[in-house]
Amino acid sequence: MTKMRGVAPFPKLWARRTSMELADGIQCEVMALPDLVAAKKTQRDKDWPMVRRLLEAHYFQNRETASAAQARFWLRELRTPELIVECATKWPSLCRTQTRRRPLLAYAQPGQEARLEAALKAEEWAERQADAKYWAPLKAELEQMRHERLDPQSGSRGR
Protein backbone atom coordinates (compact mmCIF):
# COMPACT_ATOMS: atom_id res chain seq x y z
CA MET A 1 0.00 0.00 0.00
CA THR A 2 2.81 2.34 -0.82
CA LYS A 3 1.15 3.74 -3.94
CA MET A 4 -1.93 5.93 -3.68
CA ARG A 5 -4.47 5.97 -6.48
CA GLY A 6 -4.14 8.90 -8.82
CA VAL A 7 -1.00 10.27 -7.17
CA ALA A 8 2.53 10.40 -8.58
CA PRO A 9 5.32 8.28 -7.11
CA PHE A 10 7.00 9.61 -3.97
CA PRO A 11 10.07 11.16 -5.68
CA LYS A 12 7.80 13.35 -7.81
CA LEU A 13 5.63 14.25 -4.82
CA TRP A 14 8.72 15.20 -2.86
CA ALA A 15 10.01 17.38 -5.68
CA ARG A 16 6.68 19.26 -5.77
CA ARG A 17 6.26 19.56 -1.99
CA THR A 18 5.47 22.79 -0.20
CA SER A 19 7.38 24.04 2.81
CA MET A 20 5.59 25.77 5.63
CA GLU A 21 6.52 27.10 9.02
CA LEU A 22 4.35 26.34 12.03
CA ALA A 23 3.62 28.90 14.74
CA ASP A 24 6.41 27.49 16.91
CA GLY A 25 8.95 27.94 14.11
CA ILE A 26 9.14 24.30 13.09
CA GLN A 27 9.54 23.84 9.34
CA CYS A 28 7.27 21.22 7.71
CA GLU A 29 7.31 19.68 4.26
CA VAL A 30 3.80 18.88 2.95
CA MET A 31 2.29 17.69 -0.29
CA ALA A 32 1.60 20.36 -2.88
CA LEU A 33 -2.09 21.22 -3.03
CA PRO A 34 -2.81 19.50 -6.39
CA ASP A 35 -1.22 16.29 -5.08
CA LEU A 36 -3.08 16.52 -1.77
CA VAL A 37 -6.39 17.01 -3.59
CA ALA A 38 -5.67 13.96 -5.76
CA ALA A 39 -4.73 11.90 -2.69
CA LYS A 40 -7.93 12.89 -0.88
CA LYS A 41 -10.27 11.72 -3.67
CA THR A 42 -11.10 8.53 -1.83
CA GLN A 43 -14.13 6.53 -0.81
CA ARG A 44 -13.91 7.92 2.73
CA ASP A 45 -16.66 10.36 3.73
CA LYS A 46 -14.32 12.55 5.76
CA ASP A 47 -12.02 13.30 2.80
CA TRP A 48 -14.51 15.10 0.54
CA PRO A 49 -15.35 18.04 2.84
CA MET A 50 -11.58 18.47 3.33
CA VAL A 51 -11.02 18.60 -0.44
CA ARG A 52 -13.76 21.20 -0.78
CA ARG A 53 -12.41 23.34 2.06
CA LEU A 54 -8.78 23.19 0.88
CA LEU A 55 -9.82 24.29 -2.59
CA GLU A 56 -12.07 27.07 -1.29
CA ALA A 57 -9.28 28.42 0.93
CA HIS A 58 -6.80 28.34 -1.95
CA TYR A 59 -9.27 30.06 -4.25
CA PHE A 60 -10.09 32.85 -1.77
CA GLN A 61 -6.40 33.41 -0.97
CA ASN A 62 -5.35 33.65 -4.62
CA ARG A 63 -8.27 34.64 -6.84
CA GLU A 64 -7.30 38.32 -7.12
CA THR A 65 -3.78 37.56 -8.36
CA ALA A 66 -4.34 34.15 -9.95
CA SER A 67 -2.26 32.83 -12.80
CA ALA A 68 -3.78 30.95 -15.71
CA ALA A 69 -2.36 27.74 -14.23
CA GLN A 70 -4.19 28.38 -10.95
CA ALA A 71 -7.44 29.12 -12.79
CA ARG A 72 -7.11 25.86 -14.76
CA PHE A 73 -6.49 24.00 -11.50
CA TRP A 74 -9.61 25.51 -9.92
CA LEU A 75 -11.72 24.76 -12.97
CA ARG A 76 -10.55 21.14 -12.82
CA GLU A 77 -10.93 20.71 -9.07
CA LEU A 78 -13.28 23.16 -7.29
CA ARG A 79 -16.18 21.42 -5.49
CA THR A 80 -18.35 24.49 -4.76
CA PRO A 81 -20.92 25.36 -7.47
CA GLU A 82 -20.91 29.10 -6.77
CA LEU A 83 -17.12 29.26 -6.95
CA ILE A 84 -17.02 27.20 -10.13
CA VAL A 85 -19.49 29.64 -11.73
CA GLU A 86 -17.44 32.60 -10.49
CA CYS A 87 -14.24 31.08 -11.84
CA ALA A 88 -15.86 30.19 -15.18
CA THR A 89 -17.21 33.73 -15.49
CA LYS A 90 -13.82 35.26 -14.74
CA TRP A 91 -11.90 32.94 -17.12
CA PRO A 92 -14.41 31.91 -19.85
CA SER A 93 -11.86 30.79 -22.44
CA LEU A 94 -10.07 28.60 -19.90
CA CYS A 95 -13.42 27.18 -18.86
CA ARG A 96 -14.25 26.25 -22.45
CA THR A 97 -10.94 24.44 -22.88
CA GLN A 98 -11.31 22.62 -19.53
CA THR A 99 -14.87 21.47 -20.32
CA ARG A 100 -13.46 18.64 -22.42
CA ARG A 101 -11.57 17.39 -19.38
CA ARG A 102 -14.37 18.11 -16.88
CA PRO A 103 -17.77 18.01 -18.65
CA LEU A 104 -19.69 19.41 -15.66
CA LEU A 105 -18.19 22.81 -16.51
CA ALA A 106 -20.88 23.03 -19.18
CA TYR A 107 -23.18 23.93 -16.24
CA ALA A 108 -20.81 26.60 -14.89
CA GLN A 109 -23.24 29.44 -15.56
CA PRO A 110 -25.40 31.60 -13.32
CA GLY A 111 -28.71 29.85 -12.71
CA GLN A 112 -27.25 26.37 -13.31
CA GLU A 113 -25.97 25.78 -9.78
CA ALA A 114 -28.46 22.97 -9.07
CA ARG A 115 -27.38 21.06 -12.19
CA LEU A 116 -23.77 21.75 -11.32
CA GLU A 117 -24.29 20.43 -7.78
CA ALA A 118 -25.84 17.24 -9.15
CA ALA A 119 -22.94 16.81 -11.57
CA LEU A 120 -20.46 17.34 -8.73
CA LYS A 121 -22.17 14.60 -6.71
CA ALA A 122 -21.98 12.26 -9.70
CA GLU A 123 -18.30 13.12 -10.16
CA GLU A 124 -17.62 12.42 -6.48
CA TRP A 125 -19.50 9.12 -6.66
CA ALA A 126 -17.42 8.03 -9.66
CA GLU A 127 -14.20 8.90 -7.79
CA ARG A 128 -15.37 6.96 -4.73
CA GLN A 129 -16.16 3.93 -6.90
CA ALA A 130 -12.79 4.15 -8.66
CA ASP A 131 -11.06 4.30 -5.28
CA ALA A 132 -12.95 1.27 -3.98
CA LYS A 133 -12.07 -0.66 -7.14
CA TYR A 134 -8.40 0.32 -6.86
CA TRP A 135 -8.06 -0.79 -3.23
CA ALA A 136 -10.17 -4.00 -3.42
CA PRO A 137 -7.41 -6.32 -4.67
CA LEU A 138 -4.87 -4.78 -2.29
CA LYS A 139 -7.21 -5.29 0.66
CA ALA A 140 -7.81 -8.88 -0.44
CA GLU A 141 -4.05 -9.45 -0.61
CA LEU A 142 -3.58 -8.09 2.91
CA GLU A 143 -6.42 -10.26 4.18
CA GLN A 144 -4.85 -13.32 2.56
CA MET A 145 -1.49 -12.51 4.15
CA ARG A 146 -3.18 -12.14 7.54
CA HIS A 147 -4.88 -15.53 7.19
CA GLU A 148 -1.66 -17.21 6.08
CA ARG A 149 0.02 -16.01 9.29
CA LEU A 150 -2.56 -17.79 11.42
CA ASP A 151 -1.90 -21.39 12.30
CA PRO A 152 -4.95 -23.26 10.97
CA GLN A 153 -4.52 -26.01 13.64
CA SER A 154 -4.70 -23.90 16.77
CA GLY A 155 -5.81 -20.48 15.60
CA SER A 156 -2.62 -19.01 17.03
CA ARG A 157 -0.08 -16.95 15.14
CA GLY A 158 2.39 -18.83 13.01
CA ARG A 159 6.14 -18.25 12.91
Side-chain angles (χ1 to χ4, degrees), residues 4-122:
M4 295 179 283
R5 181 185 72 87
V7 178
F10 180 78
K12 288 186 179 184
L13 294 175
W14 186 252
R16 296 191 297 237
R17 73 191 182 278
T18 299
S19 297
M20 59 187 304
E21 188 173 322
L22 300 178
D24 59 5
I26 294 175
Q27 196 72 16
C28 293
E29 306 295 331
V30 296
M31 290 175 101
L33 183 60
D35 294 322
L36 182 57
V37 167
K40 288 291 188 184
K41 289 183 176 179
T42 71
Q43 57 195 298
R44 299 177 340 156
D45 291 336
K46 68 181 185 176
D47 286 336
W48 288 93
M50 180 59 68
V51 167
R52 182 176 176 145
R53 186 63 195 114
L54 286 167
L55 290 163
E56 287 173 351
H58 188 258
Y59 182 73
F60 288 127
Q61 287 172 352
N62 298 287
R63 69 179 172 185
E64 298 305 321
T65 59
S67 66
Q70 286 175 315
R72 277 191 296 277
F73 171 66
W74 296 326
L75 287 164
R76 284 192 315 266
E77 300 295 350
L78 278 169
R79 310 290 318 150
T80 311
E82 297 78 14
L83 296 185
I84 294 171
V85 169
E86 181 178 312
C87 196
T89 302
K90 190 168 182 174
W91 295 283
S93 63
L94 288 177
C95 184
R96 282 190 296 278
T97 62
Q98 293 300 308
T99 301
R100 286 187 290 274
R101 184 173 182 175
R102 193 179 193 196
L104 65 75
L105 291 173
Y107 304 123
Q109 305 166 33
Q112 294 291 317
E113 290 85 358
R115 290 180 83 181
L116 190 52
E117 182 71 42
L120 283 164
K121 286 180 182 178

